[in-house]
Amino acid sequence: GLRKCLISMDTHHLEESFQEIKRAIQAKDTFQNVTILSASETLQSIKPSDVCCVTKNLLAFYVDRVFKDHRELNPHILRKISSIANSFLYMQKTLQRCQEQRRCHCRQEATNATRSVHENYDQLEVHSAAVKSLGELNVFLAWIAKNHQEISA
Amino acid sequence: VPCVSGGLPKPTNITFLSINMKNVLQWNPPEGLQGVEVTYTVQYFIYGQKRWLNKSECRNINRTYCDLSVETSDYEHQYYAKVKAIWETNCSKWAETGRFYPFVETQIGPPEVALTTDEKSMSIFLTPPEKWKRNPEDSSVSMQQIYSNLKYNVSIRNTRSNRMWSQCVTNHTLVLTWLEPDTQYCVHVEAFVPGLPRPTRPSEKQCVRTLKDPSSEFKVK
């Protein structure tokens, strides 16, 4: 069942890549009173059965929107973001197989959670939204590390 | 009394020192003000909320740290904090931290370690570190309850041969066999969360001696 639909991903190097750019990226985010992946409301309330679908949807959110909308001049930051993006593409392929075997079912709660993330994103000017979403990657990575580890433990 | 902002240099190196979710804001005094009786005032901000909030116990204080564990106890939220220096009618601009995320950034303190031995084996009993709690009488929460995938890196050294090795374990008891009798072994342990790079704090080194092997004494006689 769902227990096998996991990303056996070592988030350590992803987290390290993020830690290197965290200060710079978060410093560009001047809207401290707005969040996109607001942890407590959205991700923490996700049930184990919805983990696969929410992971798939948030990977798509980052790959199809955030990484595309983000403008970056600093080559070091750009390299780190590209490394993270490539890891996300790999994770998408892993979940794609689950999708094909119909083991990544999306219930309404999971769809609602993802929709609220997109709605938060749309509240901001697109580049500000992309910077804020990148600054909140640690929330998504911590959630992945916790949820994809917990089920398989 | 309002102060002239910018009349003083800002405090420096403002960071959160976080261990087992005990989150203490700390900073260095402004440069060039040695011998001046400077005081400090702290505010904090919950990421996603609307306003900066005062920390009343850290208004006009002399010390260069402020415990914000209560204010940052929801470890799945993220926070900012800031401090300014005040001297008479002058004050500095605010010095602000980066975004602080306790769930990812808190250091995992050392576990409690108990050792027992016999001639050729040693049992190592581990108790996970405890999360910071508001009041001593509050019920304890183990860091394992927050990080279900918490692991332990156990390092062992044979003080006679100076041979060292380590083992990564998940459960709380480790039995080492095939040890040398009548030999001192030293152990220290650090707890860590896989997947999230953060500094760890090893336990104090503890040393025990395996028992003498009675059969070897019999032969000598």
Side-chain angles (χ1 to χ4, degrees):
Chain A
L2 253 189
R3 290 177 67 88
K4 297 184 190 60
C5 192
L6 287 174
I7 304 168
S8 57
M9 186 85 216
D10 172 14
T11 55
H12 197 94
H13 85 281
L14 267 171
E15 185 65 42
E16 274 180 343
S17 296
F18 177 76
Q19 285 301 322
E20 283 193 45
I21 61 173
K22 168 185 186 257
R23 190 96 185 185
I25 289 280
Q26 290 181 347
K28 293 180 187 178
D29 176 6
T30 52
F31 301 94
Q32 294 172 339
N33 55 347
V34 177
T35 72
I36 299 215
L37 296 184
S38 47
S40 292
E41 291 70 37
T42 309
L43 291 181
Q44 294 328 316
S45 56
I46 300 298
K47 297 185 179 60
S49 53
D50 293 323
V51 162
C52 180
C53 171
V54 170
T55 306
K56 182 173 66 67
N57 290 349
L58 288 183
L59 288 172
F61 164 70
Y62 273 97
V63 169
D64 301 335
R65 295 195 78 176
V66 178
F67 295 139
K68 283 181 179 160
D69 291 340
H70 180 54
R71 295 288 169 272
E72 184 52 57
L73 300 177
N74 181 314
H76 172 66
I77 294 177
L78 210 51
R79 264 195 312 276
K80 292 299 169 185
I81 292 174
S82 302
S83 161
I84 293 170
N86 287 328
S87 298
F88 278 18
L89 289 171
Y90 165 81
M91 289 150 86
Q92 280 190 312
K93 284 196 180 75
T94 304
L95 289 182
Q96 186 63 36
R97 283 194 292 277
C98 282
Q99 183 75 36
E100 286 147 14
Q101 294 151 7
R102 274 188 291 285
R103 286 183 291 113
C104 197
H105 177 57
C106 281
R107 294 179 325 136
Q108 194 53 48
E109 287 89 338
T111 306
N112 294 346
T114 316
R115 181 184 307 119
S116 77
V117 168
H118 282 272
E119 283 165 2
N120 292 340
Y121 193 87
D122 294 331
Q123 304 278 321
L124 291 171
E125 181 272 330
V126 66
H127 298 132
S128 304
V131 162
K132 181 172 279 298
S133 304
L134 287 170
E136 294 184 9
L137 265 172
N138 55 350
V139 175
F140 184 35
L141 295 176
W143 182 80
I144 287 176
K146 184 169 189 240
N147 284 278
H148 284 265
Q149 169 72 38
E150 216 161 310
I151 298 178
S152 65
Chain B
V1 172
C3 57
V4 176
S5 175
L8 290 183
K10 291 198 283 191
T12 58
N13 295 332
I14 174 168
T15 56
F16 275 98
L17 173 62
S18 175
I19 301 172
N20 296 335
M21 300 297 183
K22 178 180 174 70
N23 306 324
V24 178
L25 183 71
Q26 55 185 26
W27 59 88
N28 291 345
E31 279 153 9
L33 290 183
Q34 280 65 25
V36 176
E37 277 290 318
V38 173
T39 62
Y40 303 96
T41 287
V42 169
Q43 290 188 338
Y44 67 98
F45 185 93
I46 303 170
Y47 179 56
Q49 304 286 309
K50 300 296 177 213
R51 289 179 303 105
W52 284 91
L53 303 169
N54 291 315
K55 167 74 173 175
S56 50
E57 298 89 339
C58 295
R59 180 196 294 270
N60 293 321
I61 56 173
N62 301 100
R63 59 182 189 274
T64 57
Y65 62 88
C66 171
D67 191 334
L68 289 173
S69 301
V70 171
E71 291 74 16
T72 56
S73 56
D74 180 344
Y75 50 78
E76 280 173 330
H77 265 102
Q78 299 181 77
Y79 305 89
Y80 293 86
K82 61 184 181 183
V83 61
K84 70 179 176 183
I86 303 154
W87 178 57
E88 295 177 350
T89 60
N90 284 299
C91 56
S92 72
K93 289 188 165 35
W94 292 102
E96 195 172 308
T97 66
R99 195 179 301 168
F100 169 60
Y101 189 13
F103 181 70
V104 169
E105 296 175 44
T106 199
Q107 292 180 50
I108 312 293
E112 270 180 39
V113 181
L115 307 176
T116 62
T117 63
D118 58 25
E119 294 91 56
K120 292 186 178 177
S121 76
M122 176 194 318
S123 295
I124 302 174
F125 303 97
L126 304 174
T127 306
E130 260 186 38
K131 174 180 174 291
W132 164 85
K133 51 189 178 183
R134 198 176 296 230
N135 305 302
E137 58 276 11
D138 291 350
S139 57
S140 294
V141 173
S142 137
M143 292 297 276
Q144 182 110 39
Q145 290 169 257
I146 298 170
Y147 303 100
S148 58
N149 53 347
L150 191 70
K151 292 187 191 309
Y152 303 96
N153 196 19
V154 182
S155 303
I156 309 110
R157 186 168 67 89
N158 176 326
T159 60
R160 179 184 291 154
S161 65
N162 212 32
R163 175 176 164 252
M164 285 187 69
W165 74 98
S166 60
Q167 285 182 234
C168 178
V169 297
T170 305
N171 39 29
H172 296 144
T173 305
L174 172 63
V175 179
L176 304 174
T177 54
W178 300 105
L179 301 181
E180 295 171 33
D182 192 19
T183 303
Q184 185 185 54
Y185 287 87
C186 294
V187 172
H188 71 264
V189 185
E190 57 190 12
F192 68 98
V193 180
L196 297 172
R198 68 181 89 206
T200 59
R201 291 182 164 254
S203 63
E204 294 285 325
K205 181 177 74 175
Q206 284 185 57
C207 302
V208 285
R209 180 175 290 276
T210 49
L211 305 181
K212 286 191 168 80
D213 182 354
S215 56
S216 67
E217 272 181 21
F218 181 73
K219 268 185 227 117
V220 166
K221 286 199 179 92

